[in-house]
Amino acid sequence: MSSNAFGKLFTVTTFGESHGPAIGCVIDGCPPGLAIAAEDFRTDLDRRATGRSRHTSQRHEADDVEILSGTFEGHTTGTPIALLIRNTDSRSKDYSEILQTFRPGHADYTYWQKYGIRDPRGGGRSSARETTMRVAAAVVARKWLAEHFGIRIRGHLAAIGELEPRTFDWAAVEQNPFFWPDASMVAELEEFMTALRKSGDSVGARVNVVAEGVPPGWGEPVYAKLDADLAAAMMSINAVKGVEIGDGFAVVAQHGSGHRDEMTPQGFLSNHAGGILGGISSGQAVTASVAFKPTSSILIPGRSVNLAGEPMEVRTRGRHDPCVGIRATPIVEAMMALVLMDHALRHRAQCGDVGEVAPRIPGAVE
Ligand code: EPS
């Protein structure tokens, strides 16, 4: 299988299957001298993990990172950084039926059509388990971006099905298992998810992400626009069906006089563009919004065919997520970090000598 590598100068290659012995990644192109230890991965991997609440898959993985190469005395050396996480809680018997059929709406069918062979255990390579390594690689990127530019990347859940936050508070986001910015709605979400799980169905979700502190100038015209790379990165996450940058699809109903982000010496007056103009960062916060489909591994029976092409009914057993978007916030943050890290190095390579150009307009005036 090709296309398992991501990025041009800060390259991440992931490998492994959900029910194989291990998953891992190789990060190439990381600048030397960055302090990295196994403990650095704990927080973000725990934020993404299954079993964090009763509303996600109850598979309990240790998610312990082993750093196999690329560091010496706790610092990156500029050589490839290999990270490994051993799978500790796979239960492959849940997938004995899937071996003979295809879940409607799942990659089971397209993998089969493409390769003529597949690892059905936990979805193999198509499993959301793969996103663990994106989050792990992004720990390195986030640390470098924070140390060098003070960049802060934060995400939150912006919708579960029809439910949207009624108020917004960043402080609430990490205080509940949904990454939800409105603390007053957590009980309602618990109730909604409990009923959904009992019904055996799944639901979609929206995740928003904001990167603050990104300097102007990152991104490459024409084919490697920062927004184009972000969209591709977000779209590569399992179950993602839509990506918006800035105001996204809302621009359809806007007029130029309202959409443009007017500039004053004190700052931009708004941020409809999502911090990107002409594919290049403007110095404003970079914003994206990502739509996750309702997962296809559900208990409600659906029509499919078996390997002989005969009609049959499929019902997915196992420990599945009724709303995979609930734990997608750290993954969306990770893809933002990996794209920004890659573009930071790319900008430095070509335009490092340009330096700061006047006038430099601060981010949006609040
Ligand atoms: C997943 C199905 C479940 C999840 C898994 C993603 O795995 P299993 O069926 O093997 O219990 O637990 O997610 C993870 C293991 C993880 O770490 O994210 C799927 O079908 O994508």
Side-chain angles (χ1 to χ4, degrees):
M1 202 190 293
S2 54
S3 295
N4 291 290
F6 174 80
K8 278 202 163 80
L9 291 190
F10 187 88
T11 310
V12 179
T13 307
T14 69
F15 62 88
E17 284 80 29
S18 182
H19 291 211
I23 52 175
C25 72
V26 176
I27 304 167
D28 206 359
C30 182
L34 181 71
I36 285 290
E39 308 84 74
D40 291 330
F41 298 92
R42 194 72 275 159
T43 306
D44 277 346
L45 289 183
D46 284 352
R47 290 171 73 231
R48 190 215 66 92
T50 48
R52 191 171 177 251
S53 76
R54 65 180 197 282
H55 307 299
T56 62
S57 161
Q58 291 304 296
R59 180 166 160 179
H60 291 278
E61 284 292 337
D63 280 350
D64 288 330
V65 174
E66 295 170 45
I67 304 174
L68 301 183
S69 71
T71 62
F72 179 66
E73 295 182 339
H75 290 79
T76 59
T77 56
T79 59
I81 302 166
L83 305 177
L84 191 82
I85 294 178
R86 290 173 204 280
N87 289 325
T88 54
D89 189 27
S90 53
R91 205 169 67 190
S92 300
K93 70 173 169 23
D94 290 342
Y95 288 90
S96 46
E97 279 176 56
I98 301 300
L99 183 60
Q100 302 301 325
T101 187
F102 315 97
R103 285 164 280 187
H106 197 277
D108 291 335
Y109 179 67
T110 47
Y111 269 57
W112 182 248
Q113 288 294 324
K114 185 169 181 65
Y115 301 105
I117 183 171
R118 72 191 158 115
D119 176 358
R121 302 164 308 156
R125 183 75 180 147
S126 70
S127 169
R129 179 97 188 109
E130 186 272 339
T131 61
T132 316
M133 297 321 302
R134 300 168 185 242
V135 172
V139 166
V140 179
R142 291 174 86 144
K143 200 165 180 192
W144 191 89
L145 289 167
E147 284 183 10
H148 285 73
F149 295 96
I151 291 175
R152 176 159 72 163
I153 299 168
R154 291 186 290 183
H156 63 87
L157 203 60
I160 296 182
E162 306 262 301
L163 293 171
E164 290 181 1
R166 290 189 278 268
T167 61
F168 188 92
D169 180 8
W170 275 117
V173 172
E174 300 292 328
Q175 306 299 320
N176 65 78
F178 305 105
F179 299 94
W180 196 259
D182 179 353
S184 73
M185 288 179 69
V186 172
E188 193 180 331
L189 296 182
E190 299 268 3
E191 223 172 279
F192 175 82
M193 287 305 302
T194 301
L196 179 73
R197 202 174 53 251
K198 283 188 182 148
S199 76
D201 214 342
S202 63
V203 74
R206 178 193 281 268
V207 174
N208 289 352
V209 65
V210 182
E212 292 159 300
V214 178
W218 292 6
E220 292 172 5
V222 170
Y223 298 111
K225 288 183 161 83
L226 187 58
D227 34 4
D229 281 3
L230 274 175
M234 298 304 174
M235 210 48 132
S236 77
I237 301 171
N238 315 52
V240 169
K241 284 293 184 190
V243 180
E244 296 181 311
I245 307 292
D247 284 1
F249 277 83
V251 302
V252 174
Q254 295 174 354
H255 289 89
S257 52
H259 175 79
R260 64 185 178 179
D261 299 312
E262 290 185 86
M263 300 146 105
T264 69
Q266 290 72 41
F268 288 89
L269 296 183
S270 53
N271 187 11
H272 299 287
I276 302 173
L277 297 167
I280 298 171
S281 60
S282 65
Q284 295 227 70
V286 175
T287 66
S289 186
V290 184
F292 287 80
K293 72 172 185 178
T295 41
S296 46
S297 302
I298 56 178
L299 285 169
I300 296 179
R303 285 167 291 180
S304 185
V305 295
N306 63 16
L307 292 185
E310 296 156 345
M312 62 164 309
E313 212 167 57
V314 58
R315 185 173 176 272
T316 316
R317 282 166 237 288
R319 304 166 293 180
H320 296 287
D321 291 272
C323 176
V324 79
I326 286 181
R327 56 192 184 90
T329 294
I331 308 166
V332 169
E333 293 171 354
M335 295 319 285
M336 173 69 88
L338 293 175
V339 171
L340 290 177
M341 180 75 199
D342 193 36
H343 275 283
L345 298 185
R346 286 155 72 169
H347 180 69
R348 190 167 80 167
Q350 189 195 9
C351 300
D353 295 340
V354 175
E356 196 168 317
V357 180
R360 186 166 276 203
I361 298 166
V365 177
E366 293 296 324

